[in-house]
Amino acid sequence: MTIGEAATITGLPQKTIRYYEEIDLVRPDRGANGYRNFSRSDTHKLAFVARARSLGFSVGECRALLSLYEDDNRASADVRQLAGEHLMQIDVKIAELQAMRRTLADLVERCRGDHRPDCPILDELAAHKAAFHKEPVS
Amino acid sequence: MTIGEAATITGLPQKTIRYYEEIDLVRPDRGANGYRNFSRSDTHKLAFVARARSLGFSVGECRALLSLYEDDNRASADVRQLAGEHLMQIDVKIAELQAMRRTLADLVERCRGDHRPDCPILDELAAHKAAFHKEPVS
DNA sequence: TCTTGACCTTCCAGTTGCTGGAGGGACTAC
DNA sequence: GTAGTCCCTCCAGCAACTGGAAGGTCAAGA
């Protein structure tokens, strides 16, 4: 099938599919006219990668998952390990974002948001107010 | 002060400071020897940006915040608006990550993680198992 | 047959926010 | 003079695409 059809089926942009070929995630063969020809196995891999990406796995991790997937002698422990590490990284990111969120929400709430210039958000970012007086001699 | 000192004070890598100069966030002047010379105002701006970045603001948003900060006629409403939008984006990201987290945690828990190949994580990623039989005619 | 339009191709550049390294000048201390 | 530590610029690269230009291919219709 053509790249257009593969894109429709997998929900991936054609550009992304070409990119995945470039980095050797898939290797569709070519017709006489130079057009890519995607097998069902190709589109299946693409869909696999698309799902893994949507779970936040990096392309490198997707590659590893794909090769585990294609390895009949894999140990599920390896897959679990990979997913477990990814899960921990997600937890870290969530924690970071929640910390930002707390600070920001507090600042936004405390800002009057009117026509006047004084603003706790900028105060917080400036932090050491006292030390800042426009352009001290340098 | 030199870039090294500015880096120590702000906690930013020198490379980052040079980059911030390149994109015009700061404009330190230069000594006769070509060395950058950071004023207190420069380092203050850098620290401001560092804090804003640590709250997840993009460099573009930092630029906007900085120009609001330097505008005595600003309306705090504008600052609040900017921060509020950023807050919403953070909420979106948190929600996305939590959705991933839920799915992943469930899969990881259901995976036995032993020497055998069968694995619910790969099953989930493959999703349409039945449709995939190695290399159908294409 | 010609042409139109929808495909497909490659290649190059840009995005965000840095980071690393090469190759070289400047300054300080001994 | 020389060693060591600064500083400078420029180029390249990371992730994971995305956009666009310039051009080949193919099917359908006048």
Side-chain angles (χ1 to χ4, degrees), chain A residues 89-105:
Chain A
Q89 287 184 355
I90 286 183
D91 282 341
V92 169
K93 267 189 205 149
I94 289 176
E96 287 171 1
L97 286 172
Q98 279 173 339
M100 288 178 191
R101 207 221 106 88
R102 273 192 300 278
T103 305
L104 269 170

Side-chain angles (χ1 to χ4, degrees), chain A residues 4-123:
Chain A
E5 291 162 332
T8 304
I9 285 184
T10 60
L12 290 169
Q14 298 188 15
K15 282 270 178 186
T16 300
I17 295 177
R18 291 200 190 94
Y19 171 66
Y20 286 167
E21 182 191 20
E22 193 186 321
I23 63 172
D24 278 329
L25 276 185
V26 278
R27 299 157 201 268
D29 48 281
R30 301 291 180 124
N33 54 10
Y35 286 18
R36 289 171 183 82
N37 190 6
F38 291 83
S39 69
R40 237 167 237 284
S41 149
D42 289 328
T43 54
H44 188 71
K45 277 191 205 175
L46 287 172
F48 181 100
V49 170
R51 273 177 226 113
R53 293 283 301 127
S54 80
L55 285 180
F57 287 102
S58 70
V59 167
E61 287 165 337
C62 289
R63 195 190 300 281
L65 286 168
L66 210 43
S67 88
L68 282 167
Y69 180 58
E70 292 178 321
D71 175 6
D72 291 338
N73 295 316
R74 69 177 168 259
S76 65
D78 292 339
V79 184
R80 201 186 133 124
Q81 165 81 8
L82 220 166
E85 277 164 18
H86 178 49
L87 184 52
M88 287 193 311
Q89 287 184 355
I90 286 183
D91 282 341
V92 169
K93 267 189 205 149
I94 289 176
E96 287 171 1
L97 286 172
Q98 279 173 339
M100 288 178 191
R101 207 221 106 88
R102 273 192 300 278
T103 305
L104 269 170
D106 172 60
L107 291 172
V108 166
E109 204 195 342
R110 280 166 38 215
C111 176
R112 277 191 305 258
D114 56 17
H115 65 287
R116 281 172 299 178
D118 54 303
C119 170
I121 302 168
L122 295 179
D123 287 351

Side-chain angles (χ1 to χ4, degrees), chain A residues 123-136:
Chain A
D123 287 351
E124 167 79 12
L125 293 173
H128 314 302
K129 271 175 112 171
F132 184 54
H133 295 292
K134 300 207 164 171
E135 208 71 24

Side-chain angles (χ1 to χ4, degrees), chain B residues 12-122:
Chain B
L12 290 169
Q14 298 186 17
K15 282 268 179 186
T16 300
I17 295 177
R18 291 199 190 95
Y19 172 67
Y20 287 167
E21 183 192 20
E22 194 185 321
I23 62 172
D24 279 329
L25 276 185
V26 278
R27 301 159 199 265
D29 47 281
R30 301 290 180 124
N33 54 10
Y35 286 17
R36 289 170 183 82
N37 190 5
F38 291 83
S39 68
R40 238 164 237 283
S41 150
D42 289 328
T43 54
H44 187 72
K45 278 192 203 174
L46 287 171
F48 181 100
V49 170
R51 274 177 225 114
R53 294 284 299 129
S54 79
L55 285 180
F57 288 102
S58 71
V59 167
E61 287 165 337
C62 288
R63 195 190 300 281
L65 285 168
L66 210 44
S67 89
L68 282 167
Y69 179 58
E70 292 177 322
D71 175 6
D72 291 339
N73 296 316
R74 69 178 168 256
S76 64
D78 293 339
V79 183
R80 201 186 134 124
Q81 165 82 8
L82 221 165
E85 277 164 17
H86 178 49
L87 184 52
M88 287 194 311
Q89 287 185 354
I90 286 183
D91 282 340
V92 168
K93 267 189 204 148
I94 290 176
E96 286 170 0
L97 286 171
Q98 279 173 339
M100 288 178 191
R101 207 221 107 87
R102 271 193 300 278
T103 305
L104 269 170
D106 173 58
L107 292 172
V108 166
E109 204 195 342
R110 279 167 38 215
C111 176
R112 278 191 304 259
D114 56 18
H115 63 289
R116 280 173 298 179
D118 55 301
C119 171
I121 301 169
L122 295 180

